[in-house]
Amino acid sequence: DGAICTMECRPIVPGVFTNPDWLKVDHHRVHVEIEGQVARTTIDMAFTNEGDGLAEGTFVFPLPMGASVEELLMFIDGQAIEAKILDAREARAIYDAIVRQYRDPALLEYIGANAIQANVFPIPPGETRQINITYSQVLEVDNGLVHYVYPLDVTRLTSRRTVADASISVGVTANATISNIYSPSHAIGIARDGDSAFNVGWETSEYVPDQDFSLYWGIASDSVNVNLLTYREGANEDGYFMLLVQPPIVAPTE
C-alpha cells in the first residue's frame, strides 16, 4: 500500500536503531590503528530491512572529545556514496527534500560537539545498507598508562538489539617499550610484535552490545611498572581499584 515505516533514534548511541524490531544489524566491525598516541578508528556496519515496508534509518554515533571525522560512506548496491558534512539546519532542509522525492541520502551532521548523525532513506524490504565511518583522536597518557575506548554499550539507552557478527581489532605501535596490556571489558586475544607493538582482537556472534570496549596498555620503565586504575560511581559511594604490576621486560645483567 506504499506505507512508509519511519523510525528515529534520538538517544546518542553507537549505531543502533531503536525501532522497528525487524531492522537487523548484520555486522558491526571495528578496526583501530594506533601509532604513538594517535588512534584512527574505522567502523563498518551493515543493516537489513526484514520488514514488509520502506524504512527510514537514523544512525547516531557518539564521538570522543577532540575526535575528527575523516570519512563517512554509505553503500547502495555495492556503490559507495560519500556523505557531506553539513551544519544541522542545512542538513535537515536537504534531507527532508530528498525524503519527499524517495531518494537515498547519506547526510552527516554533528549533534552537539561530539556526535554524528547519518540519515538513510528509504530502505526497501529485503535490502541492505552499509555505513563506514573513519575518525581520528589523540589518546592521553595518564601515569604511564594509555587508554582507548570504543563506545559499544547501548543497553541503557535502547532495546537489546542483537548484532549477528561483531568484531574489534586494534593494532598499536608505540614510541617506547610496552609493559601491561589489559581489557577490563572484553576477552581479547593478544599478540605482541617486539617490545613496542602489539595486536589485540575480539569477535563474537549474536551479540548484544552491553558495555563499551576498553583497552589499557602501559609504557615500560627500567624499574617495576605499577599502574593504578580507580573507579567510583559517585562521591558518596564506595569505589574499587585495580593495580597492574609488571617487572622490567629485560632482566638486569648483574
Side-chain angles (χ1 to χ4, degrees):
D1 57 7
I4 298 175
C5 300
T6 302
M7 65 162 191
E8 294 182 352
C9 180
R10 297 189 182 278
I12 297 179
V13 297
V16 172
F17 307 88
T18 55
N19 285 298
D21 290 338
W22 35 258
L23 189 66
K24 176 187 176 184
V25 182
D26 298 304
H27 66 249
H28 188 160
R29 300 166 184 157
V30 182
H31 179 70
V32 188
E33 289 292 337
I34 302 174
E35 294 188 7
Q37 293 176 239
V38 179
R40 188 172 188 263
T41 301
T42 300
I43 306 151
D44 175 11
M45 288 191 67
F47 47 95
T48 300
N49 179 359
E50 295 185 325
D52 298 325
L54 293 174
E56 173 186 2
T58 301
F59 178 96
V60 184
F61 188 88
L63 289 172
M65 293 299 297
S68 60
V69 177
E70 299 180 17
E71 183 178 60
L72 185 144
L73 297 175
M74 184 178 72
F75 287 83
I76 300 176
D77 296 328
Q79 182 178 0
I81 299 176
E82 186 170 3
K84 296 180 179 180
I85 300 178
L86 307 170
D87 63 63
R89 181 177 297 180
E90 182 183 9
R92 176 54 57 186
I94 295 176
Y95 170 66
D96 289 343
I98 294 176
V99 166
R100 286 193 293 269
Q101 298 176 34
Y102 285 79
R103 293 171 57 193
D104 279 322
L107 299 179
L108 174 64
E109 57 183 302
Y110 283 88
I111 302 175
N114 56 350
I116 57 176
Q117 174 176 311
N119 297 307
V120 182
F121 180 88
I123 310 170
E127 292 198 10
T128 298
R129 293 293 182 263
Q130 184 177 346
I131 287 181
N132 289 72
I133 297 175
T134 300
Y135 66 87
S136 298
Q137 67 188 110
V138 177
L139 306 178
E140 296 183 355
V141 180
D142 185 7
N143 193 30
L145 202 62
V146 187
H147 187 201
Y148 173 83
V149 177
Y150 178 74
L152 198 59
D153 183 11
V154 301
T155 56
R156 292 169 295 180
L157 299 175
T158 186
S159 59
R160 297 179 63 87
R161 186 177 302 279
T162 300
V163 179
D165 173 22
S167 65
I168 298 177
S169 64
V170 184
V172 176
T173 302
N175 298 321
T177 299
I178 295 171
S179 58
N180 303 293
I181 305 169
Y182 177 69
S183 173
S185 60
H186 292 72
I188 59 173
I190 302 174
R192 286 184 177 267
D193 184 9
D195 293 339
S196 59
F198 68 89
N199 294 278
V200 303
W202 168 84
E203 61 180 346
T204 189
S205 58
E206 302 304 321
Y207 174 67
V208 176
D210 58 357
Q211 57 183 326
D212 294 340
F213 176 83
S214 180
L215 178 66
Y216 291 91
W217 63 97
I219 304 302
S221 64
D222 294 334
S223 59
V224 174
N225 296 284
V226 179
N227 301 116
L228 178 65
L229 306 177
T230 62
Y231 179 79
R232 184 167 59 177
E233 286 283 354
N236 297 323
E237 300 183 26
D238 293 335
Y240 58 87
F241 71 91
M242 178 179 66
L243 185 67
L244 302 176
V245 181
Q246 179 171 309
I249 299 297
V250 179
T253 56
E254 296 181 359

